[in-house]
């Protein structure tokens, strides 16, 4: 049951925080989610995923990519459940959400899963040389992540009039001005709808409310600052990511990640 963990500071755009294959999967319950993007795929047997009030079975060759801090659990259904997995970090790992169309999770079918497993297996086979070559490992990590890009869904969203008219402008506003004192009321006024209607549209297209999206986006940016700017004070990071009160920022970060910003920095 091989598994490898990152053994150095994060200096590359994308990197594996952990990666493994041929893993005898135990039950996992994460009420606060996992602090990084996390991919899980069935090699043998099958298991069941509980996520966002839904239940999904992962048969052989199928997988799921889960965004940070999203409550989930999974356990085996067959007598034995063998999996591959990877967790992703990096100085620009916050851009993964855009790569997957801002979806809270993504289910991977067998054909796509076969290509991903081939990449994971090759990385595991080459780990002895890759672990000392962070640049090459980062490139291999990026190649794997590219298999999660969902251009078909992105095109479908681009053709949705409600998404184009109300959701997309708000996403751009959040991504551009997340450091400002944005509120759901402010954002809804920019597209001339009520906060309640805007949040319904966000849930329909992205699976979360406007407030949840804004908060997770800010926390993801904070994670990047904590890793990339080791000497920047937490108070500065709070201000740069739109939190006017440092205590509130620390509380929200801990609620999302399960640890404080300083504890997160020490782990990275």
């Amino acid at each position: 049951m091989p598994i490898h963990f990152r053994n150095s500071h994060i200096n590359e755009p994308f990197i594996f925080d952990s990666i493994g294959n041929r893993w005898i999967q135990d039950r996992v319950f994460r009420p606060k989610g996992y602090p990084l993007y996390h991919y899980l795929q069935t090699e043998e047997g099958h298991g069941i995923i509980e996520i966002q009030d839904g239940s999904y079975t992962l048969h052989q060759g199928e997988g799921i990519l889960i965004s940070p801090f999203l409550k989930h659990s999974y356990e085996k259904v067959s007598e034995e459940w063998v999996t591959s997995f990877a967790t992703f970090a990096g100085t620009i790992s916050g851009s993964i959400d855009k790569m997957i169309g801002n979806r809270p999770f993504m289910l991977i079918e067998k054909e796509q899963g076969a290509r991903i497993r081939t990449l994971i297996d090759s990385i595991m086979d080459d780990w002895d040389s890759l672990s000392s070559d962070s640049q090459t490992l980062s490139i291999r990590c990026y190649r794997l992540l590219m298999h999660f890009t969902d251009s078909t869904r992105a095109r479908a969203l681009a053709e949705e009039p409600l998404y184009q008219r109300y959701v997309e402008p708000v996403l751009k506003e959040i991504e551009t001005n997340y450091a400002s004192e944005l509120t759901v009321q402010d954002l809804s006024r920019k597209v001339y709808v009520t906060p309640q209607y805007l949040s319904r549209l966000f849930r329909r297209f992205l699976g979360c409310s406007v407030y949840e999206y804004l908060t997770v986006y800010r926390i993801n940016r904070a994670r990047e600052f904590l890793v990339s700017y080791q000497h920047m004070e937490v108070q500065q990071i709070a201000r740069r990511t739109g939190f006017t009160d440092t205590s509130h920022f620390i509380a929200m970060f801990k609620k999302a990640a399960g640890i404080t910003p300083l504890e997160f920095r020490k782990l990275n």
Side-chain angles (χ1 to χ4, degrees):
M1 298 191 297
I3 177 174
H4 298 295
F5 294 94
R6 175 174 56 83
N7 57 9
S8 61
H9 288 295
I10 297 174
N11 297 310
E12 300 294 340
F14 298 105
I15 202 73
F16 295 106
D17 196 67
S18 64
I19 187 170
N21 62 357
R22 300 191 292 280
W23 186 258
I24 307 301
Q25 187 64 60
D26 294 323
R27 183 178 186 273
V28 168
F29 176 62
R30 297 189 176 117
K32 295 183 179 179
Y34 192 78
L36 303 172
Y37 273 94
H38 171 221
Y39 179 66
L40 180 74
Q41 180 172 318
T42 297
E43 292 186 10
E44 299 174 17
H46 57 285
I48 192 165
I49 309 286
E50 302 284 345
I51 188 168
Q52 280 205 326
D53 300 322
S55 180
Y56 306 88
T57 299
L58 291 188
H59 297 284
Q60 186 173 348
E62 297 174 340
I64 186 170
L65 179 69
I66 304 172
S67 63
F69 313 126
L70 186 65
K71 177 183 176 181
H72 65 273
S73 65
Y74 46 83
E75 60 184 323
K76 67 180 182 180
V77 176
S78 55
E79 184 175 348
E80 189 171 73
W81 187 23
V82 183
T83 65
S84 299
F85 63 89
T87 59
F88 303 97
T91 57
I92 60 170
S93 62
S95 64
I96 297 174
D97 51 2
K98 295 190 72 173
M99 293 171 66
I100 67 170
N102 297 301
R103 300 171 70 176
F105 64 93
M106 176 185 287
L107 294 168
I108 302 300
E109 297 181 352
K110 288 184 178 182
E111 183 178 352
Q112 189 178 9
R115 294 191 291 269
I116 292 172
R117 181 178 174 184
T118 297
L119 285 173
I120 290 177
D121 287 347
S122 68
I123 291 165
M124 295 297 292
D125 290 342
D126 298 340
W127 187 262
D128 288 344
S129 60
L130 289 172
S131 61
S132 59
D133 184 354
S134 61
Q135 186 175 28
T136 300
L137 184 59
S138 182
I139 292 170
R140 299 279 283 273
C141 182
Y142 178 69
R143 286 176 181 167
L144 195 155
L145 283 167
M146 286 302 292
H147 284 274
F148 298 120
T149 57
D150 194 4
S151 58
T152 301
R153 184 177 185 274
R155 286 194 298 270
L157 284 178
E159 294 170 0
E160 283 277 358
L162 292 176
Y163 180 87
Q164 284 183 309
R165 184 173 180 179
Y166 301 117
V167 177
E168 190 171 33
V170 172
L171 293 180
K172 289 179 180 177
E173 182 70 18
I174 289 173
E175 292 167 8
T176 303
N177 297 309
Y178 65 90
S180 304
E181 293 184 41
L182 296 178
T183 66
V184 179
Q185 289 74 18
D186 294 332
L187 294 167
S188 62
R189 277 196 292 268
K190 288 185 178 295
V191 288
Y192 307 103
V193 296
T194 66
Q196 294 81 6
Y197 182 65
L198 185 61
S199 275
R200 285 201 299 273
L201 290 176
F202 263 64
R203 287 204 176 278
R204 172 179 169 183
F205 293 115
L206 302 178
C208 62
S209 70
V210 182
Y211 177 76
E212 289 168 339
Y213 184 93
L214 174 61
T215 301
V216 170
Y217 192 90
R218 283 171 164 168
I219 294 297
N220 282 340
R221 298 290 81 74
R223 287 171 51 234
E224 292 179 13
F225 281 116
L226 287 164
V227 171
S228 302
Y229 302 96
Q230 291 285 326
H231 300 295
M232 187 179 289
E233 297 289 338
V234 170
Q235 293 89 337
Q236 292 176 280
I237 293 173
R239 289 194 299 271
R240 287 198 177 197
T241 52
F243 293 92
T244 55
D245 181 85
T246 304
S247 297
H248 178 62
F249 165 65
I250 293 172
M252 293 303 294
F253 192 99
K254 187 172 183 179
K255 181 179 179 181
I259 54 177
T260 67
L262 287 179
E263 289 170 337
F264 178 84
R265 173 175 274 168
K266 289 177 182 178
L267 290 175
N268 292 277

